[in-house]
Amino acid sequence: MPDATYTVERSAVIPAPPQRVFDLVADFHEWRRWSPWEDVDPAMSRSYSGADSGIGAVYEWSGNRKAGRGRMEIVEAAAPSHVAIALDFVKPFRSSNTTTFTFTPEGDRTRALWSMTGPRPLLMRVFGFLFDMEKLVGRDFEKGLTRLRAAATSTSTGPA
Protein backbone atom coordinates (compact mmCIF):
# COMPACT_ATOMS: atom_id res chain seq x y z
CA MET A 1 0.00 0.00 0.00
CA PRO A 2 1.30 3.53 -0.79
CA ASP A 3 2.68 5.85 1.90
CA ALA A 4 0.38 7.62 4.35
CA THR A 5 1.71 11.00 3.17
CA TYR A 6 2.48 12.56 -0.17
CA THR A 7 4.92 15.21 -1.34
CA VAL A 8 4.79 17.12 -4.59
CA GLU A 9 7.77 19.28 -5.62
CA ARG A 10 8.62 21.47 -8.55
CA SER A 11 11.46 23.91 -9.11
CA ALA A 12 12.37 26.59 -11.59
CA VAL A 13 15.19 29.05 -12.10
CA ILE A 14 13.97 32.63 -12.02
CA PRO A 15 16.13 35.44 -13.42
CA ALA A 16 15.67 37.68 -10.38
CA PRO A 17 17.33 37.97 -6.96
CA PRO A 18 16.00 35.81 -4.09
CA GLN A 19 14.57 38.81 -2.20
CA ARG A 20 12.37 39.76 -5.17
CA VAL A 21 10.98 36.23 -5.44
CA PHE A 22 10.60 35.92 -1.64
CA ASP A 23 8.58 39.17 -1.53
CA LEU A 24 6.09 37.82 -4.08
CA VAL A 25 5.50 34.68 -2.02
CA ALA A 26 5.61 36.10 1.53
CA ASP A 27 2.84 38.63 0.76
CA PHE A 28 -0.49 36.96 -0.04
CA HIS A 29 -1.68 40.16 -1.75
CA GLU A 30 0.96 39.45 -4.42
CA TRP A 31 -0.38 35.95 -5.12
CA ARG A 32 -3.02 37.39 -7.45
CA ARG A 33 -0.12 38.16 -9.82
CA TRP A 34 1.20 34.62 -10.05
CA SER A 35 -0.83 31.90 -8.26
CA PRO A 36 -2.05 29.20 -10.65
CA TRP A 37 -5.41 29.11 -8.88
CA GLU A 38 -6.30 32.79 -9.05
CA ASP A 39 -8.13 32.46 -12.37
CA VAL A 40 -10.07 29.29 -11.48
CA ASP A 41 -13.01 31.42 -10.30
CA PRO A 42 -13.10 35.10 -11.33
CA ALA A 43 -15.79 35.74 -8.66
CA MET A 44 -13.81 34.06 -5.87
CA SER A 45 -14.02 35.87 -2.54
CA ARG A 46 -10.72 36.56 -0.76
CA SER A 47 -9.89 37.91 2.66
CA TYR A 48 -6.61 38.85 4.27
CA SER A 49 -5.90 39.11 7.98
CA GLY A 50 -3.05 38.99 10.46
CA ALA A 51 0.29 40.45 9.40
CA ASP A 52 0.58 42.26 6.07
CA SER A 53 3.21 39.73 4.99
CA GLY A 54 5.51 37.13 6.48
CA ILE A 55 4.79 35.16 9.66
CA GLY A 56 1.18 35.52 10.72
CA ALA A 57 -0.18 36.64 7.34
CA VAL A 58 -3.47 34.86 6.58
CA TYR A 59 -5.32 34.40 3.28
CA GLU A 60 -8.76 32.82 3.06
CA TRP A 61 -10.75 32.10 -0.08
CA SER A 62 -14.13 30.78 -1.08
CA GLY A 63 -15.15 30.08 -4.64
CA ASN A 64 -16.90 27.78 -7.04
CA ARG A 65 -16.61 23.96 -6.91
CA LYS A 66 -13.20 24.02 -8.56
CA ALA A 67 -11.75 26.79 -6.36
CA GLY A 68 -13.25 25.40 -3.16
CA ARG A 69 -12.71 27.04 0.19
CA GLY A 70 -9.68 27.19 2.41
CA ARG A 71 -7.15 29.09 4.46
CA MET A 72 -3.39 29.66 4.33
CA GLU A 73 -1.20 31.08 7.08
CA ILE A 74 2.50 31.82 6.83
CA VAL A 75 4.09 30.00 9.76
CA GLU A 76 7.77 30.51 8.86
CA ALA A 77 9.50 33.20 6.85
CA ALA A 78 13.26 33.69 6.65
CA ALA A 79 14.02 36.37 4.08
CA PRO A 80 15.12 35.84 1.41
CA SER A 81 15.39 32.06 1.51
CA HIS A 82 12.33 30.30 2.94
CA VAL A 83 8.54 30.53 3.41
CA ALA A 84 6.40 27.82 5.04
CA ILE A 85 2.62 27.89 4.89
CA ALA A 86 -0.05 25.94 6.79
CA LEU A 87 -2.62 25.17 4.09
CA ASP A 88 -6.07 24.00 5.12
CA PHE A 89 -8.72 23.04 2.59
CA VAL A 90 -12.34 23.05 3.75
CA LYS A 91 -14.10 22.33 0.44
CA PRO A 92 -14.36 20.31 -1.72
CA PHE A 93 -12.64 18.11 0.89
CA ARG A 94 -10.99 18.69 4.26
CA SER A 95 -7.24 18.44 4.30
CA SER A 96 -4.31 20.04 6.13
CA ASN A 97 -1.02 20.37 4.28
CA THR A 98 2.31 22.10 4.55
CA THR A 99 3.55 24.14 1.62
CA THR A 100 7.13 25.38 1.50
CA PHE A 101 9.07 27.63 -0.81
CA THR A 102 12.87 27.63 -0.77
CA PHE A 103 14.86 30.24 -2.68
CA THR A 104 18.50 29.54 -3.46
CA PRO A 105 20.75 32.02 -5.29
CA GLU A 106 22.37 30.75 -8.48
CA GLY A 107 24.54 33.61 -9.65
CA ASP A 108 22.18 36.49 -10.47
CA ARG A 109 19.21 34.11 -10.60
CA THR A 110 17.16 32.23 -8.01
CA ARG A 111 16.21 28.58 -7.86
CA ALA A 112 12.67 28.43 -6.46
CA LEU A 113 11.60 25.08 -5.01
CA TRP A 114 7.88 24.72 -4.25
CA SER A 115 6.73 21.68 -2.30
CA MET A 116 3.56 20.49 -0.62
CA THR A 117 3.30 17.65 1.86
CA GLY A 118 0.11 16.27 3.31
CA PRO A 119 -1.70 13.21 4.54
CA ARG A 120 -2.83 10.51 2.16
CA PRO A 121 -5.95 9.07 3.83
CA LEU A 122 -6.80 5.41 3.33
CA LEU A 123 -9.41 6.17 0.64
CA MET A 124 -6.84 8.18 -1.30
CA ARG A 125 -4.30 5.36 -0.98
CA VAL A 126 -6.77 2.72 -2.16
CA PHE A 127 -7.96 4.82 -5.10
CA GLY A 128 -4.57 6.38 -5.82
CA PHE A 129 -5.17 6.42 -9.55
CA LEU A 130 -8.02 8.91 -8.92
CA PHE A 131 -6.13 10.97 -6.36
CA ASP A 132 -2.65 11.19 -7.85
CA MET A 133 -1.43 14.38 -6.18
CA GLU A 134 1.62 14.45 -8.44
CA LYS A 135 -0.69 14.82 -11.44
CA LEU A 136 -3.36 16.92 -9.71
CA VAL A 137 -1.00 19.48 -8.17
CA GLY A 138 2.24 19.14 -10.15
CA ARG A 139 0.90 20.88 -13.26
CA ASP A 140 -0.46 23.71 -11.13
CA PHE A 141 2.95 24.16 -9.48
CA GLU A 142 4.59 24.31 -12.91
CA LYS A 143 2.07 26.93 -14.06
CA GLY A 144 2.56 28.88 -10.83
CA LEU A 145 6.34 28.88 -11.13
CA THR A 146 6.06 30.13 -14.72
CA ARG A 147 3.81 32.94 -13.52
CA LEU A 148 6.09 33.65 -10.55
CA ARG A 149 8.98 34.02 -13.00
CA ALA A 150 6.92 36.50 -15.06
CA ALA A 151 5.92 38.47 -11.95
CA ALA A 152 9.50 38.54 -10.61
CA THR A 153 10.88 39.86 -13.90
CA SER A 154 8.03 42.32 -14.53
CA THR A 155 8.68 46.02 -14.09
CA SER A 156 5.18 46.61 -12.69
CA THR A 157 4.39 46.18 -9.00
CA GLY A 158 1.28 45.38 -7.02
CA PRO A 159 -1.55 42.90 -7.59
CA ALA A 160 -2.78 42.47 -11.15
Side-chain angles (χ1 to χ4, degrees):
M1 181 144 317
D3 292 337
T5 61
Y6 72 87
T7 299
V8 176
E9 286 187 345
R10 293 293 188 276
S11 70
V13 175
I14 298 174
Q19 187 66 51
R20 174 75 178 127
V21 183
F22 174 89
D23 290 344
L24 289 165
V25 174
D27 181 348
F28 287 131
H29 299 90
E30 294 288 348
W31 283 50
R32 291 186 80 172
R33 296 180 62 199
W34 65 268
S35 170
W37 301 291
E38 284 296 323
D39 55 0
V40 168
D41 179 3
M44 182 166 57
S45 110
R46 301 166 182 85
S47 67
Y48 305 91
S49 60
D52 288 338
S53 66
I55 296 173
V58 175
Y59 170 71
E60 295 180 79
W61 76 92
S62 182
N64 61 21
R65 274 185 51 202
K66 192 167 183 182
R69 186 171 60 144
R71 178 181 192 276
M72 294 190 291
E73 180 174 353
I74 296 177
V75 294
E76 295 175 20
S81 61
H82 177 78
V83 176
I85 300 167
L87 170 61
D88 296 308
F89 294 103
V90 177
K91 288 185 178 180
F93 54 87
R94 288 193 174 276
S95 178
S96 292
N97 306 273
T98 301
T99 300
T100 58
F101 291 85
T102 305
F103 309 112
T104 307
E106 291 188 357
D108 59 353
R109 304 177 310 163
T110 301
R111 176 160 304 276
L113 174 65
W114 186 358
S115 68
M116 183 166 72
T117 302
R120 190 188 315 245
L122 181 60
L123 186 62
M124 187 185 280
R125 284 182 272 161
V126 171
F127 293 102
F129 60 93
L130 294 175
F131 298 101
D132 184 344
M133 295 304 286
E134 186 66 34
K135 287 182 182 174
L136 291 171
V137 179
R139 283 180 280 214
D140 289 338
F141 280 16
E142 291 165 9
K143 180 179 177 182
L145 288 168
T146 297
R147 288 178 164 193
L148 184 59
R149 175 189 174 109
T153 57
S154 169
T155 56
S156 66
T157 59

